[in-house]
Amino acid sequence: MWGDNGNGISVYNPPEGSWVQSLQVTDDGIGGAILSWFRSTEINNEGNNGQKTQNWDIFTQKIDGNGNILWQPGGVSLKISETDKQAAPSNPVITSDNSSGAIIAWRDSRDSGANSASVYAQRLDADGDLKWDAGGIKVSIDVS
């Protein structure tokens, strides 16, 4: 059992003004797990008359079979909003890449409008390095 007295471990502690949802998990193929989650963080936007905006992104973390966190503290960002300010990721899903890494796919309306979206994906290797373009690659268009 992981953690003190079998109470579990903390893989992520969201910053103030953030909310997290859509936790997903997959087997890493060597006794551990890779997790992904969606995070929205409220940002003070001084260039926009001080109005607050949201930064949306998807994060991942790898845990070994002993409960040790293997990737960077706070998880690995897929750099979605950092790459495209119009990005609106949601509903991430994760699967193993059969090489101790993972592929994460999500719905994103960054270039499709409010009533439809495209599907984007990103692959992370066993070390948590992004293998495809930062922000993901488009794998389908205009799904409802």
Side-chain angles (χ1 to χ4, degrees), residues 28-128:
D28 72 353
I30 53 174
I34 302 173
L35 299 91
S36 69
W37 61 91
F38 167 83
R39 182 184 90 186
S40 178
T41 304
E42 191 172 73
I43 299 172
N44 288 324
N45 188 347
E46 294 184 25
N48 193 19
N49 296 324
Q51 292 184 3
K52 295 181 179 185
T53 59
Q54 294 293 316
N55 181 340
W56 297 355
D57 207 346
I58 296 171
F59 287 79
T60 61
Q61 184 60 267
K62 187 172 184 178
I63 304 169
D64 70 14
N66 294 316
N68 298 306
I69 295 174
L70 301 179
W71 293 347
Q72 66 191 32
V76 175
S77 165
L78 299 189
K79 301 181 182 193
I80 298 167
S81 289
E82 180 181 316
T83 304
D84 186 333
K85 298 297 182 201
Q86 300 303 311
S90 63
N91 307 100
V93 294
I94 188 170
T95 190
S96 173
D97 70 354
N98 294 322
S99 296
S100 301
I103 298 171
I104 297 97
W106 64 92
R107 185 178 195 270
D108 195 320
S109 59
R110 71 177 81 173
D111 53 13
S112 302
N115 295 324
S116 64
S118 297
V119 175
Y120 282 76
Q122 179 60 265
R123 181 175 180 214
L124 290 93
D125 66 15
D127 296 321

Side-chain angles (χ1 to χ4, degrees), residues 4 12 14 19 31 50-51 76 110-112 132 135 137 141:
D4 296 334
Y12 182 69
W19 54 273
Q51 292 184 3
V76 175
R110 71 177 81 173
D111 53 13
S112 302
W132 298 338
I137 60 170
I141 56 171

